[in-house]
Amino acid sequence: SGKTTLLNHILTSTEHKKRYAIIENELGEVGVDENVLCVPKEEVEEEIVEVVNGCMCCTVRGDLVEALQRMYTKVKNFDGVLIETTGMADPAPVVQTFFVDKNVEPFYELDCVVTVVDAMQIITRLEEEQEDGMKRKEAVEQLAFADKILLNKIDLVTDSLALERIENRIRRINCVASIVRCEYSQVDPSSLLGVKAFTIDRILAHEPDFLSERPQFMKDHRHDTRVSSFSFWEYSEIDVAKLNDWISSLIKEKGAELYRYKGVLAVRGRTEKYMFQGVGPIFAGNFSSQLIWSEGEKRESRFCFIGKHLDWDALRVGFSTCRVEGRFRIGDQVSFELLHNQYLPGKVVDMWQNGCMYQVVLDDYPGSPIDVEDDHDPQLRAFQH
């Protein structure tokens, strides 16, 4: 697909002015080009060697955790570590290492998962079957776990509509990763490194359309029964305790089928936005010190799941159990301010439709329901004679 080409590009580039350590999987047929090493390959005796622009290259022959520990003292002042996995690798164990291993988590922070895609071959790989007739899962999982996807070798696909179809197929699997078209893996290294794509505090800044409610590219296809992404939003506030209980039960039942999930939530009584993310059975959440609900801003909760055999309806229902209870129930009589200081009697006929907390029909105007976005809306109050 071009992974090693990308690494050689980063190692030989003098533009990024940074020092990186490369952990290279030795299963690759072609490794880092010996022309970028400070000494010829035949003279290399250690696993870790310096390359011409001050970076380092490490060939992993054993456990990744051991390699990270062993090289830390040499690279702790570097700008980052790049890990190349084989094209047949399952990304989940590598990603989870940075969250659960006590020998790694205090010293390294996962910055970004990059998947390099061969534009000519990707559709074939996604449809490829194993000997038992089951679809191969490696390509799907590598797309599902990605924060950034490099759609490489686009010069070999001359039909622009074909490229759009390829991108749409990728987005069916992962609707939140950014896709960058390129040739010969030539991309600006600064767009891939030090971007904190795996830190939810900065997701909204980097991805303005993050977790949009069923974006257009998701409306034009049938649901993928194997791996897909599902996102939704609503004007609601969440009870964190209920959220943790729901996610815990979801992990017990479906943990093996959940690849990535992340959200930006409004919590009753807190001005900070609540961010949380998970990888398989590992999840964590916290209140952001940087993202604050401003005065007058509509408080909303946004969520995205990427996984296998996702039951969209069940996820919606499960998330609904985490909401903070409102002032009214379906059937309650209320007063609604149609004009300034003019309140008319009505009834709550539905809840949580169109991303809004209430739908109200006025007694004197029994037409289409009026959407009331949240429980704090001053236009809605208890019924008064």
Side-chain angles (χ1 to χ4, degrees), residues 326-360:
R327 293 175 294 163
F328 307 109
R329 302 288 183 272
I330 295 176
D332 284 356
Q333 292 290 323
V334 294
S335 294
F336 181 81
E337 185 183 29
L338 186 63
L339 300 174
H340 182 63
N341 286 330
Q342 181 183 353
Y343 285 85
L344 300 179
K347 180 186 293 186
V348 176
V349 297
D350 209 344
M351 297 181 67
W352 304 113
Q353 298 296 322
N354 303 322
C356 297
M357 190 165 187
Y358 302 111
Q359 284 194 325
V360 175

Side-chain angles (χ1 to χ4, degrees), residues 89-293:
D90 176 1
V94 177
V95 171
Q96 291 176 359
T97 295
F98 294 90
F99 289 92
V100 300
D101 194 287
K102 64 180 184 298
N103 295 315
V104 173
E105 191 270 337
F107 305 104
Y108 295 90
E109 178 184 9
L110 186 59
D111 180 66
C112 183
V113 178
V114 179
T115 296
V116 183
V117 172
D118 185 330
M120 280 287 290
Q121 301 294 330
I122 184 59
I123 300 300
T124 301
R125 292 290 176 264
L126 291 175
E127 300 301 326
E128 192 174 33
E129 294 185 351
Q130 303 176 124
E131 292 182 359
D132 58 7
M134 298 295 290
K135 298 289 186 184
R136 300 196 68 92
K137 64 178 182 178
E138 291 87 358
V140 175
E141 291 179 342
Q142 289 171 12
L143 289 172
F145 275 90
D147 296 296
K148 289 182 177 290
I149 297 170
L150 302 188
L151 186 57
N152 195 31
K153 304 182 182 180
I154 60 171
D155 52 309
L156 302 180
V157 182
T158 56
D159 184 352
S160 60
L161 293 179
L163 282 175
E164 291 183 11
R165 288 193 293 269
I166 292 170
E167 290 187 352
N168 288 337
R169 181 67 179 87
I170 292 173
R171 292 192 187 281
R172 287 167 57 181
I173 298 170
N174 187 334
C175 68
V176 295
S178 59
I179 299 177
V180 179
R181 297 182 181 184
C182 58
E183 301 176 20
Y184 303 101
S185 300
Q186 297 295 298
V187 296
D188 181 0
S190 64
S191 69
L192 306 176
L193 310 169
V195 297
K196 296 187 180 295
F198 221 91
T199 303
I200 286 195
D201 280 32
R202 296 188 57 183
I203 283 177
L204 293 181
H206 289 290
E207 302 172 15
D209 297 325
F210 172 60
L211 303 183
S212 61
E213 174 68 7
R214 297 217 66 197
Q216 185 62 40
F217 55 75
M218 295 179 63
K219 296 178 182 179
D220 298 331
H221 64 80
R222 293 175 295 174
H223 178 52
D224 187 330
T225 57
R226 295 189 299 124
V227 175
S228 62
S229 53
F230 167 61
S231 61
F232 58 93
W233 68 270
E234 62 185 23
Y235 294 110
S236 65
E237 293 185 311
I238 301 303
D239 184 314
V240 173
K242 292 181 180 179
L243 176 71
N244 289 334
D245 289 344
W246 174 54
I247 293 294
S248 296
S249 64
L250 186 63
I251 286 173
K252 290 179 182 178
E253 297 174 9
K254 304 288 185 181
E257 299 178 351
L258 292 175
Y259 292 167
R260 295 277 300 274
Y261 43 101
K262 49 189 176 181
V264 180
L265 311 175
V267 174
R268 176 66 60 87
R270 297 293 296 259
T271 58
E272 308 96 328
K273 296 182 180 182
Y274 187 79
M275 312 293 183
F276 90 90
Q277 65 177 321
V279 178
I282 310 301
F283 83 100
N286 63 280
F287 289 98
S288 172
S289 60
Q290 299 177 346
L291 297 177
I292 307 297
W293 295 105

